[in-house]
Every structure is written in structure tokens, then in C-alpha cells.
Amino acid sequence: MPRRPSGRRRMPSAVLGGLAAAALLVTAHPAAGAVPAETEARTPVNRAFERAAEEFQVPRDLLAAVGYGETHLDGHGGRPSHAGGYGVMHLVDNPVRDTLGRAAELTGEPEAALRRDTAANILGGAAVLRSHADELGLDAAERRDPDAWYPAVARYSGAADDRTARLYADTVYDFLAEGFSALTPAGERVTVDARDVDPDRGRYAKAAPPGGSAPAGASGAGTLSTDYPPARWAAAHSSNYTPGRSAPITHVVVHVTQGSYAGSISWFQNPDSDVSAHYVIRSRDGEVTQTVRDRDTAWHARSGNAYSIGIEHEGYVDDPSWFTDAMYRSSAALTRHLCDRHGIPKDRAHIVGHHEVPGNDHTDPGPNWDWTYYMQLVRDGSATAPVQLNHASYATLRSGSTGEQVRAAQHLLNQNGFDAGEVDGRFGPATEGAVRAFQSSRGLGADGVVGARTWTALLSAGTEPVLRRGASGADVQRLQRALTAALGRTVDTDGVFGPGTETAVRDYQSSRGLAVDGVVGAGTWGALQAGR
């Protein structure tokens, strides 16, 4: 494919027609113009984001959030990811996807520069995002609104499955909602301030994330893993693993993805990747997704595939910022579960790194992986698997019940000062006693059974912030869970107070004789926390 010289950039016609409005996208940053050489030298990445945002009319913070989610703003010296992605913005060149070539067409930058030069790579990422926005028909006003870019961000993921694309885009909007401050490899700080988000998901609104609860009318709803209940389930493509086993399971192999969480799940779903792992673990919170059943042979460690289970950890071997305590604890809990389930000794002879499997040329998990801490967590049992609080519905629980929803109830009881004992998923005497004490404190019938009213009170327990459309975060997610239990229908637990949540709030307020304004204040919280 011919490439234009780097000195000239071919701009999309929509960009040429709208440059006059570009400054509106970067109102929180200095206008483009002459910049002192000293400032330029100190802040090259920040300037690259600002210039790319201005040139292609992509909101600067959105662009930075995409880059942060992909690479933590580390271009890794032009070395490719597992999926053939390059640079801060992870421009991809693989058999089924070529955003690197697309970026070269749109910017006029040669592919070599896009791979290695951070400023060029950021410009290329902005160009590709803008091309998706143009395909979706975003006009100038919509391009100024980060919430309107959600479908373009989902397309940027390259995921063929809408649920995985939504997982990717939701992560980007989580970073926008929470804000972040990251150091580049050169020590430059890039900051995005927290903001209210209310993304327009378009067609992705009907796609439940893997393992997530499905919105009304959705098809292909995600499910949870049957091998490891805390995990999501997102199947790898059938051409990327072998059904069944030819040897007993005797080892766990620790990997690092060399890419992002959602990107790795998407890569395993690509029929041309010829690679998979049994589990993938997210950096920031330890979320786990299973992609190949334990009973099947994932393709992750060459000669070790037949007898091992592979766990991929989001990140890059040369960047320790990815290896969070949440990741270590979640991974150790999973490994301990696998060892107990399959009779694998909890030692370094049987829990190994990819580089330790015979016949492999990989280096992961690399020198930044803390094996001493990890094995301590595996052996002493202090690590805990993430408790899955988000469910499409909440079942009635009583003495003798087992499973992930029992763990959720135990976790919530303990969190609120009612001692349910170990969070083990078994509804025994300690759990029943804690339920009765909780019910008495809320004026509910103290029968020791967790039904809809008790679930509603448990799930909503906590502070009572005023929430309305546009709010986001953990309090919104707590509200959404409580509404799911109270209304007996699924309310999407995405942590974003959008139209669906507002409708659910109004329905709840109307059915409970409250003022119907769609705003969750003291009255609505009080009703929820009383189990009404």
C-alpha cells in the first residue's frame, strides 16, 4: 500500500471543514501556537495529546484514556504487543486488522514512525478514532461531547464480539469517570481529571459485558464461569484451543499478556490468533475472565499445554505498574482454587512462569513479578477471590444454600458489621445468625431467609449521596444492584446513571408511593435500606 510523505497529512474532509471548532475540544488546555522549546522538551506526551486532539477533533481526555487503557502510556520502544500492536495507542498490524496502516493513510506518517515515535503514534490513534466517528456520522457538536464517542471507542477495540467491545469501552469510560495520573517512561506526568460520564452506547447498550447482566432485549447474554464462580465467561474461538486433555493437570503457568485485558480476551476470540489461555486477570481490580474450560487444552505454553492451566495477567513485563495488589490477590486466590481442585502442589515446581516451561522462548512474567509475595498468598490462603455482587437477579437464600450469591450475601453482611463468618459460599448457622441480626436492625421479619426485601436492604446499605442522571461510580452501582432486587428485573449494573437507571428509579419511587422525580435522595435511599 503506498504511503504519503510524512511532511504532508491527508485530512478527512470532515476535519478540513471543522477545524474552526477544534479549539472547543481542548478548552482545558493551552491553545495551539508557539510553545517555548523548554516547555516542549519537558512535556512532549501532553503536547502530543493536545495537538492530536486538536487536529482530529477528538476530546483530549478521551484520547488519553484510550492510550492509558491500552498501555499505561508506555510505547515499549516500538516493540509489538501479543496482538501486533504498537506504541502508546496500540496501533495494530496483524492478519485480520491493520489500524497501523490506516493511521499511516490518514496522517501521512510512515509506519516506522507510527511504531516508534510516540507523538506520531498518538496522532495515528486520534486519526483512527476520528475515522470511526465519521463512519458513525458524528457531527461537530457530537464530537465535542466525550459521551457521544462511546461507539467509536468500542470499534477502536477491534473486538468482533459486541460484549467484548463493550468491556473495552466501559473500561475507557471508567478511567474518564475516575480520572488518573500516569507517569510516562521518561517521567512526564499525564493527568485526566475525574468527570461525570453518561455514555451513549448505541448498539452496545444491548450487549452485556462477558459475565454481566443483560439489559432487556439483549441477546447472547454473558454467563459466569462454571469452573471458577467469581470469574466471567467469554469463550475463546474454537480454533484456538483443543477440546479435552491428553494428560492430567499438574501445573499452573503464570503469563503476562503484553496487552490490555479486553484486548487479550478479544485476541483469543480471533480465529487467526492461534493462542488462548484459560483465565485472564485485570490489573486495576483483579477481575477474572475465563476463556477456555479447565477440561480443555488452551494454547499458551507450547510443550506445557497438555498438563497445565494458563493464567494471563494484564500488562507488560517491563512495567511493574500493572502488577497491583488486587491483581496478585485475585490471581493467588484463583491459583489456590485450581491447586485444590486439581490436586496440584502449591510450590514453585508446579506453579511456574511461562519462561520456565521447557521449549519456550518467552520471558514472562519477567523480573517485576514478585514470586515471593505471590506464593505466600497462594500458600497461606490470605488472598481472597473477588466477590461477584452484580447479578441479573437475586435468588432466595436460606440455610443449606451454596454458591456465589451466598458469598455476596456473606460479604455484604460482614461489610456492614454482621458477622457471617468466612465468605465461603455456604449458608450455615453463622450466616443465618448474621441474616437474622441484620433483618432485626432493619425492622424486617427476622426469619433468617434472604429474600427480595433483605437483598434490597443489604445491597443498598451504606451512605446516602444524592444521585441523579449523569452520576457515576460505586454508589450508582450499589443503587443499580438494589433496584434489581427491589423491582425483580435486571437493572444494568454499569455504574453509570443513564436513562435506564433513571427509569428504574422512577418505577421504584412510583411503586413505593415516593415522590417520582428520578433523583435518589434521602427518601429513596431510606426506602431501599428499609427493604421496601
Side-chain angles (χ1 to χ4, degrees), residues 49 58-73 88-89 129 146 153 156 168-180 190-193 195 197 260 322:
F49 277 119
V58 181
R60 179 266 185 192
D61 286 359
L62 180 79
L63 187 63
V66 171
Y68 183 73
E70 289 281 14
T71 64
H72 280 194
L73 308 185
V88 164
M89 300 302 296
L129 270 169
V153 172
Y156 192 92
Y168 178 96
D170 281 351
T171 299
V172 171
Y173 280 82
D174 283 346
F175 288 136
L176 282 177
E178 297 162 6
F180 62 87
V190 178
T191 299
V192 167
D193 293 332
R195 63 188 300 152
V197 299
S260 71
W322 292 91

Side-chain angles (χ1 to χ4, degrees), residues 344-408:
I344 302 170
K346 299 183 182 79
D347 59 38
R348 284 285 284 115
H350 295 85
I351 303 170
V352 301
H354 191 179
H355 69 289
E356 296 172 301
V357 179
N360 281 275
D361 57 2
H362 288 247
T363 62
D364 57 315
N368 294 307
W369 183 260
D370 190 339
W371 276 109
T372 301
Y373 180 53
Y374 185 67
M375 292 304 299
Q376 176 186 338
L377 292 171
V378 171
R379 290 188 183 113
D380 70 14
S382 63
T384 54
V387 176
Q388 174 62 255
L389 297 178
N390 299 340
H391 295 276
S393 62
Y394 293 88
T396 298
L397 307 176
R398 52 175 48 87
S399 181
S401 297
T402 60
E404 190 60 25
Q405 291 202 15
V406 175
R407 289 187 75 230

